[in-house]
Amino acid sequence: MQLAVVGSGYVGLVAGACFADLGHDVIVVDNDEKKLSALNRGEVPIHENFLPELLHRHRGAKLKFSDDLETAVRASSVVFVAVGTPPTEQGEADLSYVESVARSISSAINSYKIVVEKSTVPVYTSDWVRKIILRNGAECEEFDVASNPEFLREGTAVTDFLYPDRIVIGADTERCAAVLREVYAPLADGTYYLRPDAIPRPDRAQIPPPLIVTSAKSAELIKHASNAFLAMKISFINAVASICESVGADVQQVVQGIGTDTRIGPRFLNPGIGYGGSCFPKDLMAFRSVARECGYDFSLLDEVMRINEDQRQRFIRKVRSALWTLRGKKLGVLGLAFKGGTDDVRESPAILLIQSLLQEGCQISAFDPAAHDRAREVLNSNVRLAESAYDAASGADALLILTEWEEFAALDLKRLRAELKYPIVIDGRNLYDPVVMAAGGFTYYSVGRPASSPEPIPPAAVEPRTRKSTRS
Ligand code: UGA
């Protein structure tokens, strides 16, 4: 099929490349000339496993890049809209890019088209897109509007797309649902997975994935509700971790105990310094606004957001209780990206923590395997970007682990200890076993577990147990 994908951000570019890998002819449209020429030159603008292979495989053949939206619409039977929906100051999703694309699509319609929302949008968006297209001259039988939310995670976006837990098609007519079923047929009927050149299957993949057809509104809600639920799981376990810290329990044992209940499941129960990224923070606020507009006070989401912010404050308190005063302290930091496996620093808890620590007068030397260029754009030049994890630790009063990169969980502990001025590690991602760290000569603090050390830790150095409400 001939498809157009509007927007070449994470979702648009990955979707475009994956649709081409499924055998479709795809035009990815963007109005950013610089990005288009980089893509046409063969550059890969984001750090994403398997994306370079797919772009190399299909660029110039099944996958083309263009700034001409109207020509792309005329040539295509399905147009996926994957433009940005950034938050407004009130926390709602700004849908002006979606509206502007809908207007341009309207004037280009020359035969039956399906316009598919791929960006994360509020529940009433499909109605509005339909109205805008009609208002700008298209006839109602010439098009359908559908919602086909994407559940890919940054860092594993290509495998998430090609090996999804489920495919959700929100279509209000059978004609529209049938066309979208055809788009995903190679995944839903399993033929893609038989190909020798298929992108390798990740662990846990269920093939073929179930394809769920819903109304457009239900599909829009599925996306917001999924992200809100996952964020709630993270905040829930972070709240439990705080209780563990107060009573001396071990949150990892609690996670094992509750995560093995198949009704709960172990995923997204990793405690840490809170969730970040371009999706959860924005989508929670947007979902909260949607609920408010519908007349429902979804205050549970406020609490999820509050716990998330509190988690960073608790971490700063932990650094302070390990080091006493912060002014002038030299800290090695591992991790800048909002999570491992990506170079994205948007709403990164690591960056937010570094900014707070700088305000406290700390000197920071940070290392991230992929995010230095992006971090440089947002961090003040006082932060030294180190050449390796060991370089970041060199001469530091303590080492902070802020992003869950796999390589940070496999450091040479002897070498690390030799680099640090004091062998103190404050791990915001629970990458190490406290017993192993103490045996390696470290005083080790993590999230929701008792601190460990070769020597008994004097009470003043342990994070204060507070009986105050966490609202304070
Ligand atoms: C998230 C969802 O997981 C995707 O399903 C969704 O498609 C995407 O948003 C989106 O809406 O586009 P993503 O933001 O790429 O994906 O990253 P996640 O892997 O979900 O991680 C988000 C944040 O939560 C990260 O900061 C991560 O470190 C944190 N996290 C995740 C935890 O603190 N604990 C966990 O157990 C899992």
Side-chain angles (χ1 to χ4, degrees):
M1 290 171 84
Q2 176 69 58
L3 312 178
V5 178
V6 189
S8 66
Y10 266 98
V11 172
L13 188 57
V14 170
C18 291
F19 282 140
D21 210 43
L22 297 186
H24 300 301
D25 291 301
V26 185
I27 308 173
V28 173
V29 183
D30 206 297
N31 55 12
D32 182 339
E33 283 300 333
K34 261 173 130 178
K35 209 167 178 188
L36 287 178
S37 13
L39 285 165
N40 279 322
R41 276 197 306 274
E43 291 169 25
V44 185
I46 50 175
H47 179 92
E48 202 58 65
N49 269 345
F50 300 115
L51 188 59
E53 283 94 317
L54 290 189
L55 292 182
H56 180 73
R57 223 181 250 184
H58 302 296
R59 184 187 292 113
K62 289 201 153 298
L63 182 62
K64 298 199 168 118
F65 300 101
S66 163
D67 63 353
D68 185 350
L69 175 58
E70 300 197 358
T71 306
V73 172
R74 277 195 284 273
S76 304
S77 39
V78 186
V79 184
F80 290 88
V81 180
V83 296
T85 53
T88 64
E89 278 190 8
Q90 290 71 39
E92 294 153 6
D94 175 355
L95 298 171
S96 54
Y97 299 118
V98 176
E99 179 176 354
S100 136
V101 168
R103 271 200 303 270
S104 306
I105 291 174
S106 179
S107 50
I109 288 181
N110 56 344
S111 59
Y112 176 69
K113 308 283 174 197
I114 295 179
V115 180
V116 189
E117 304 159 354
K118 201 84 177 126
S119 318
T120 305
V121 289
V123 63
Y124 42 77
T125 308
S126 54
D127 281 352
W128 269 109
V129 168
R130 159 165 286 280
K131 267 187 221 159
I132 296 299
I133 295 179
L134 288 171
R135 213 177 260 174
N136 285 278
E139 301 292 332
C140 66
E141 66 282 0
E142 284 181 319
F143 73 97
D144 271 310
V145 178
S147 164
N148 167 223
E150 195 41 69
F151 303 101
L152 54 83
R153 290 160 303 164
E154 289 184 22
T156 51
V158 169
T159 41
D160 284 347
F161 189 100
L162 294 170
Y163 294 86
D165 286 351
R166 76 300 203 191
I167 298 161
V168 174
I169 289 176
D172 294 328
T173 68
E174 191 35 55
R175 182 184 188 187
C176 171
V179 175
L180 290 176
R181 271 201 189 94
E182 204 184 321
V183 171
Y184 284 101
L187 298 182
D189 67 18
T191 47
Y192 176 77
Y193 308 114
L194 301 175
R195 275 176 29 193
D197 65 344
I199 292 297
R201 176 183 180 171
D203 298 342
R204 267 198 302 256
Q206 192 196 153
I207 55 175
L211 188 146
I212 301 167
V213 179
T214 68
S215 68
K217 282 199 174 81
S218 299
E220 289 166 329
L221 263 176
I222 286 169
K223 173 68 194 188
H224 262 158
S226 296
N227 274 4
F229 194 89
L230 291 169
M232 181 183 73
K233 252 186 127 176
I234 298 169
S235 279
F236 183 86
I237 203 62
N238 280 333
V240 172
S242 300
I243 298 172
C244 288
E245 287 175 9
S246 298
V247 300
D250 180 335
V251 72
Q252 296 305 148
Q253 295 175 356
V254 177
V255 166
Q256 194 188 5
I258 62 176
T260 39
D261 184 327
T262 50
R263 292 169 303 173
I264 297 174
R267 298 175 74 191
F268 278 69
L269 277 185
N270 296 318
I273 49 175
Y275 60 77
S278 64
C279 303
F280 286 172
K282 163 176 89 75
D283 290 352
L284 255 85
M285 283 196 299
F287 197 28
R288 178 76 174 104
S289 299
V290 169
R292 197 178 288 123
E293 269 177 56
C294 304
Y296 183 74
D297 179 19
F298 206 160
S299 55
L300 173 64
L301 300 184
D302 290 335
E303 198 57 16
V304 170
M305 295 186 263
R306 188 199 61 74
I307 293 170
N308 197 53
E309 279 183 36
D310 191 45
Q311 204 59 14
R312 289 199 303 274
Q313 302 312 318
R314 291 182 67 86
F315 189 78
I316 298 272
R317 290 206 290 278
K318 203 166 282 171
V319 177
R320 195 176 276 123
S321 68
L323 299 179
W324 189 22
T325 64
L326 293 182
R327 183 157 302 281
K329 289 279 157 68
K330 201 175 161 210
L331 302 178
V333 167
L334 299 189
L336 296 162
F338 81 96
K339 65 171 191 175
T342 177
D343 60 350
D344 196 340
V345 298
R346 285 176 289 175
E347 296 291 321
S348 166
I351 299 280
L352 297 169
L353 277 169
I354 289 173
Q355 283 162 341
S356 302
L357 291 164
L358 287 172
Q359 275 184 359
E360 298 275 357
C362 297
Q363 294 168 35
I364 309 270
S365 181
F367 173 72
D368 189 285
H372 282 196
D373 289 348
R374 296 200 171 195
R376 195 34 95 209
E377 291 165 19
V378 291
L379 277 180
N380 106 21
S381 56
N382 292 340
V383 176
R384 174 178 167 266
L385 295 181
E387 281 170 11
S388 67
Y390 305 102
D391 182 27
S394 175
D397 291 297
L399 184 74
L400 274 44
I401 303 178
L402 301 185
T403 305
E404 68 275 45
W405 280 98
E406 277 175 28
E407 66 176 81
F408 295 161
L411 297 171
D412 173 344
L413 295 179
K414 263 198 188 138
R415 186 171 165 201
L416 186 66
R417 196 175 153 205
E419 292 289 355
L420 283 163
K421 185 169 168 199
Y422 302 112
I424 300 172
V425 173
I426 309 164
D427 180 357
R429 299 291 192 162
N430 287 6
L431 298 189
Y432 285 93
D433 179 341
V435 176
V436 171
M437 291 305 273
F442 293 92
T443 300
Y444 176 72
Y445 300 84
S446 55
V447 181
R449 299 183 296 182
S452 66
S453 175
E455 307 294 333
I457 301 174
V462 183
E463 166 142 12
R465 290 182 185 181
T466 170
R467 296 217 174 272
K468 274 191 290 175
S469 149
T470 43
R471 279 180 190 284
S472 60

